[in-house]
């Protein structure tokens, strides 16, 4: 099992289309109380991004050509050097103690290789709507994705065991990935809301308000249900 030393390297994988919100997301990584960190910036829009650091945190840019959501996530997994990994999309952010709390939750639960926080869901104007996430329940996670992608920290060893983002999913690639992890480990739960999700801000069609394509959501949900009913893991 991976150890959880106080100075474990954590890789934060940031998928970017080059939106203005990127700076805010990177600032939230730089504000983390945990060190050491690295940022793996996935240039999913093929804009030729060139960065080596942000506010004292090393940045590695990766990505060849335009990448969809799952492809960009896998490119980040391949480029990350940390023993512990997490993803953060450019229109979301994390509280300063987010990573420290996740590592502490893992340390408290032997044989656990993933942890998650609660998530504060905000509307398009930045107003609080509700909390996402509660104590871990694998069956409930199959029925509904209560984990924002940046709420979760997981061990590199899970990727070495074969967990990858399924590139046939245009959306819900994260929900599918959690099913893969759940077949390999329990998840620890911090019980505190240190992830911030601006569901209306993205363009995936799987968020909220103007960022919601109900037909696409239902179709992809049916695909995911069918996949995991055949392969419960």
């Amino acid at each position: 099992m991976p150890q959880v030393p106080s100075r474990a390297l954590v890789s934060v994988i940031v998928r970017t289309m080059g939106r203005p919100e990127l700076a805010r997301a990177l600032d939230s990584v730089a504000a983390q109380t945990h060190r050491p960190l690295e940022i793996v910036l996935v240039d999913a829009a093929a804009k030729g991004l060139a960065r080596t650091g942000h506010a004292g945190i090393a940045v590695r840019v990766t990505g060849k050509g335009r990448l969809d959501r799952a492809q960009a996530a896998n490119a980040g997994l391949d480029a990350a050097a940390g023993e512990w990994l997490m993803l953060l999309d450019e229109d979301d952010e994390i509280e300063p103690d987010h990573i420290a709390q996740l590592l502490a939750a893992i340390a408290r639960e032997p044989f656990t290789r993933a942890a998650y926080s609660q998530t504060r869901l905000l509307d398009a104007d930045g107003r609080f709507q509700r909390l996402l996430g509660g104590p871990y329940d694998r069956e409930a996670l199959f029925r509904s994705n209560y984990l924002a992608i940046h709420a979760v920290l997981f061990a590199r060893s899970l990727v070495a065991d074969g967990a990858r983002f399924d590139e046939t999913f245009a959306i819900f690639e994260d929900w599918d990935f959690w099913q893969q992890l759940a077949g390999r480990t329990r998840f620890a739960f911090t019980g505190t809301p240190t992830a911030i999700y601006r569901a209306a801000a993205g363009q995936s069609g799987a968020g909220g308000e103007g960022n919601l394509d109900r037909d696409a959501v239902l179709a992809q949900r049916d695909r995911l249900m069918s996949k995991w009913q055949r392969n419960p893991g």
Side-chain angles (χ1 to χ4, degrees):
M1 299 301 298
Q3 299 299 306
V4 192
S6 60
R7 291 187 54 79
L9 175 61
V10 175
S11 298
V12 182
I13 299 165
V14 181
R15 303 180 291 190
T16 178
M17 299 297 290
R19 300 189 184 107
E21 296 86 355
L22 175 61
R24 182 182 63 200
L26 297 183
D27 285 345
S28 77
V29 178
Q32 293 301 298
T33 59
H34 176 80
R35 293 292 187 277
L37 297 174
E38 68 164 7
I39 295 170
V40 177
L41 192 60
V42 183
D43 183 9
K47 292 192 173 183
L49 298 179
R51 285 176 180 254
T52 58
H54 182 86
I57 303 297
V59 175
R60 180 183 300 111
V61 179
T62 191
K64 295 181 180 179
R66 292 187 65 88
L67 302 173
D68 65 21
R69 293 171 59 82
Q71 291 169 337
N74 282 332
L77 294 182
D78 292 339
E83 184 181 358
W84 296 91
L85 313 174
M86 64 164 288
L87 286 93
L88 173 66
D89 287 339
E90 64 188 344
D91 40 18
D92 298 317
E93 58 200 286
I94 49 179
E95 297 286 0
D97 59 346
H98 181 65
I99 291 174
Q101 287 207 30
L102 291 167
L103 286 170
I106 291 168
R108 289 193 297 268
E109 296 196 22
F111 309 108
T112 298
R113 292 189 283 169
Y116 65 97
S117 71
Q118 286 184 301
T119 302
R120 286 188 285 130
L121 176 63
L122 306 185
D123 67 14
D125 296 319
R127 294 184 298 252
F128 173 78
Q129 290 186 302
R130 60 190 175 95
L131 285 179
L132 303 178
Y136 179 61
D137 183 328
R138 185 180 179 187
E139 187 173 324
L141 184 59
F142 173 73
R143 296 192 302 267
S144 177
N145 185 16
Y146 54 82
L147 305 181
I149 197 165
H150 54 302
V152 182
L153 181 78
F154 55 94
R156 166 182 290 282
S157 62
L158 290 163
V159 179
D161 287 349
R164 300 282 292 177
F165 286 86
D166 186 336
E167 295 181 4
T168 69
F169 281 95
I171 57 175
F172 293 154
E173 78 288 349
D174 53 343
W175 190 6
D176 176 80
F177 190 69
W178 308 146
Q179 301 304 319
Q180 296 178 52
L181 299 194
R184 295 170 168 87
T185 185
R186 281 185 53 82
F187 287 63
F189 176 48
T190 68
T192 55
T194 53
I196 300 169
Y197 178 32
R198 301 175 187 271
Q203 299 177 350
S204 68
E209 300 177 53
N211 179 28
L212 179 60
D213 182 336
R214 293 186 184 279
D215 290 340
V217 164
L218 291 173
Q220 291 295 295
R221 186 182 189 282
D222 287 346
R223 281 197 61 229
L224 187 142
M225 294 291 105
S226 178
K227 174 181 176 178
W228 288 100
Q229 284 167 352
R230 292 194 308 268
N231 304 290

